Amino acid sequence: VVFSAEEAIEEAAKGRQVILVRLETSPEDIQGMAAAQGILTVRGGMTSHAAVVARGMGACCVSGAGDITIDEEAGTFTVGGKTYGREDWISLDGSTGNVYGEKISTVPAEITGDFERFMEWADARRRLKIRTNADTPRDAAQAVEFGAEGIGLVRTEHMFFDGDKIKAIREMIVAKNDDQMEAALAKLEPLQQEDFEGIYEAMKGRPVTIRYLDPPLHEFVPHTPEEIAELAAEMNMDAEELQAVVDSLHEVNPMMGHRGSRLDVSNPGIARMQTEAVIRAAININRKHPDWNVVPEIMLPLIGDLKELKYVKKMVTDTADKILAEEGVDMDYHVGTMIEVPRAALKAGELAEEAEFFSFGTNDLTQLTFGFSRDDAGKFLPEYYSAKIYENDPFARLDQTGVGELVAIAAERGRKTRPDIKLGICGEHGGDPASIEFVDGLGLNYVSCSPYRVPIARLAAAQATIKNEKK
Ligand code: PEP
Ligand code: MG
């Protein structure tokens, strides 16, 4: 058991297996999470940071174990009258949420033998394509092993935390003028391009949808006075000046704040940098592997309006077309949008004039349709289950009659404008069998889920085809 990301990294470097126990995780913990075998958080739920990141990495995670009291400073946590510390072993079962106070042996998941044969029968019967949500070449390759046919969601922000990238993005955030901003983006671009090349290499020509920067920028800056002082020194800034920047990024409700494509409207440089990285990466990979014929799929997050989509799309197409002309390359690319704001679902007929594909971000769509936060709903939802108001977590299983109606409306209106529009789902529901059956019924083209849920999705998609054919 370890209690901080730093400890997880140190212990893992010594060859030890660790479980990171935290009140909750934040983007700064990402390297520690990658070093850990498992993650246990007191706060959270199906779509909170720890759960989403761990699921993507294939790390086991139990998020929202509210009975635990944690003392991070003392390095202990207490549950059921028993206290556990750094020298204790625990084991997690991420499917059931069980936490065991002992070491249980595990084996890696593989698809071989009879299981593999059975999965081939399922594949022969399913209509839906299965993609994966992956942000690293390692996760992408793992998903392909499990049968993924493409990537439905690369969350580019997950690439921003290592080494030089976090430094460059912080320089971008504190930039005082256009020159400083350009200089920071120029540092980021080649690093981002390298990330995309890695993903394209891992996917060997299978389709890859790259989603542009989504979270609010405060997630990339430190918050404690000590960390701010350290970063200020590194950046040759006054600590007070940096504190002022950090304060200016503070939002009362960041999930509904300055995020998604709103970041590009205020900072067009970000969309341009990401476009340059995607297009140059694809050009390089196509030169290296002409038979793969990579066609970039660029996806804009949190769009709610046609003019907004046009505005950001123009940044993308101007940049992409300029590079293609300069390089003398004739390469297709597609620009699409996520549907994750209720207004986008209602205005899907208009959005389809500009969007070549839709991907339903049902995590945000659920949050914004119900009006409760995906990070906080875990606190009160249990009472809704015991009162029989809700049967299950709407972040885990799509609410078919409410959120599902918006998905159905958007699919219908989108297709009316653009009959061949490609439709997928990349929220966590993409790995849930009941939700897969529902979206199969709507005739979506694919579901996208985290690598370790791909086998379940393949089987559920086959069952969905059979059931929906009988309806
Ligand atoms: C979503 O909102 O469903 C989605 C896939 O995006 P994210 O979880 O990164 O907000
Ligand atoms: Mg989202």
Side-chain angles (χ1 to χ4, degrees):
V1 174
V2 294
F3 293 89
S4 73
E6 293 76 33
E7 254 183 285
I9 296 164
E10 276 167 32
E11 294 299 316
K14 293 180 207 155
R16 301 185 74 187
Q17 292 189 308
V18 293
I19 291 184
L20 176 61
V21 182
R22 309 271 294 160
L23 191 59
E24 63 193 337
T25 62
S26 68
E28 288 116 65
D29 296 323
I30 201 137
Q31 259 125 16
M33 295 172 77
Q37 257 63 44
I39 296 131
L40 171 62
T41 69
V42 179
R43 291 194 196 137
M46 187 73 185
T47 56
S48 57
H49 182 265
V52 170
V53 172
R55 200 175 293 123
M57 290 172 171
C60 186
C61 177
V62 174
S63 172
D67 292 342
I68 290 177
T69 348
I70 188 168
D71 185 340
E72 284 177 358
E73 276 190 14
T76 58
F77 75 85
T78 306
V79 65
K82 201 167 169 226
T83 299
Y84 296 83
R86 290 192 170 85
E87 290 314 313
D88 291 310
W89 282 98
I90 59 168
S91 301
L92 307 179
D93 180 339
S95 299
T96 58
N98 287 343
V99 180
Y100 301 91
E102 64 199 298
K103 182 176 181 179
I104 295 175
S105 20
T106 58
V107 286
E110 292 178 341
I111 302 184
T112 51
D114 290 346
F115 183 27
E116 186 174 19
R117 190 154 167 228
F118 174 73
M119 291 309 290
E120 281 165 15
W121 295 339
D123 287 341
R125 274 308 260 127
R126 69 181 155 85
R127 189 195 60 79
L128 278 167
K129 295 265 184 219
I130 311 296
R131 292 197 187 190
T132 191
N133 296 354
D135 324 308
T136 65
R138 192 194 69 164
D139 296 343
Q142 177 66 71
V144 170
E145 287 271 297
F146 287 152
E149 297 165 293
I151 294 184
L153 174 65
V154 177
R155 288 180 167 101
T156 50
E157 61 273 14
H158 289 175
M159 301 170 156
F160 280 5
F161 286 91
D162 36 80
D164 293 346
K165 267 174 284 182
I166 188 69
K167 198 159 171 262
I169 195 154
R170 284 170 170 169
E171 283 173 19
M172 179 199 90
I173 292 169
V174 302
K176 286 187 220 135
N177 52 46
D178 289 353
D179 288 347
Q180 288 183 1
M181 179 92 177
E182 286 303 318
L185 288 168
K187 281 189 200 165
L188 263 176
E189 190 282 324
L191 303 169
Q192 178 98 102
Q193 183 180 324
E194 204 179 297
D195 286 332
F196 296 149
E197 287 182 20
I199 298 255
Y200 282 136
E201 286 277 2
M203 294 308 286
K204 299 187 169 49
R206 294 174 183 85
V208 176
T209 303
I210 295 176
R211 197 264 308 269
Y212 280 13
L213 189 66
D214 183 52
L217 297 181
H218 79 85
E219 292 197 2
F220 300 101
V221 292
H223 289 96
T224 66
E226 298 79 38
E227 289 168 331
I228 288 176
E230 203 179 304
L231 180 65
E234 203 180 301
M235 299 205 151
N236 282 326
M237 280 178 87
D238 236 42
E240 273 147 50
E241 203 184 348
L242 180 58
Q243 182 71 56
V245 176
V246 172
D247 291 346
S248 73
L249 295 174
H250 176 78
E251 292 176 312
V252 176
N253 187 354
M255 286 303 248
M256 291 173 72
H258 197 183
R259 55 171 290 217
S261 294
R262 297 161 199 167
L263 292 169
D264 300 313
V265 173
S266 339
N267 310 283
I270 301 177
R272 291 195 195 112
M273 180 277 290
Q274 294 205 288
T275 304
E276 182 167 350
V278 173
I279 297 296
R280 291 200 187 280
I283 291 175
N284 282 351
I285 296 297
N286 280 337
R287 283 188 178 138
K288 221 159 127 192
H289 307 279
D291 52 318
W292 287 1
N293 190 23
V294 170
V295 177
E297 295 173 2
I298 292 167
M299 178 154 80
L300 304 175
L302 220 75
I303 288 285
D305 184 88
L306 176 63
K307 283 196 202 138
E308 179 191 37
L309 172 60
K310 272 190 181 164
Y311 191 79
V312 183
K313 185 182 162 185
K314 188 167 181 320
M315 296 169 196
V316 174
T317 52
D318 284 353
T319 310
D321 295 345
K322 185 164 169 266
I323 297 170
L324 291 172
E326 277 167 10
E327 296 289 325
V329 169
D330 182 19
M331 179 179 78
D332 278 344
Y333 66 91
H334 301 304
V335 182
T337 180
M338 296 191 73
I339 302 284
E340 44 188 354
V341 172
R343 191 175 192 281
L346 297 172
K347 305 304 285 177
E350 286 182 6
L351 294 179
E353 290 168 21
E354 292 291 329
E356 291 173 81
F357 61 89
F358 289 164
S359 179
F360 292 95
T362 46
N363 303 333
D364 277 312
L365 192 58
T366 298
Q367 150 169 277
L368 296 168
T369 303
F370 277 93
F372 47 58
S373 148
R374 57 201 263 190
D375 289 326
D376 301 316
K379 277 187 215 147
F380 55 80
L381 280 176
E383 280 89 63
Y384 275 72
Y385 310 143
S386 38
K388 302 212 171 356
I389 299 171
Y390 299 142
E391 263 179 51
N392 35 45
D393 181 353
F395 289 105
R397 181 149 297 175
L398 191 74
D399 157 49
Q400 296 182 9
T401 55
V403 181
E405 185 172 3
L406 285 171
V407 175
I409 288 171
E412 189 198 322
R413 295 184 185 171
R415 280 200 196 106
K416 210 163 168 195
T417 305
R418 190 186 285 267
D420 64 347
I421 192 165
K422 195 168 268 174
L423 303 173
I425 170 175
C426 64
E428 296 311 312
H429 306 93
D432 167 62
S435 313
I436 291 172
E437 184 181 332
F438 177 74
V439 300
D440 181 72
L442 298 180
L444 260 54
N445 302 86
Y446 69 85
V447 298
S448 189
C449 59
S450 55
Y452 282 80
R453 298 180 97 189
V454 165
I456 300 264
R458 286 163 64 193
L459 178 58
Q463 292 170 333
T465 306
I466 294 164
K467 284 194 203 164
N468 285 326
E469 273 170 7
K470 286 188 188 148
K471 278 183 193 160

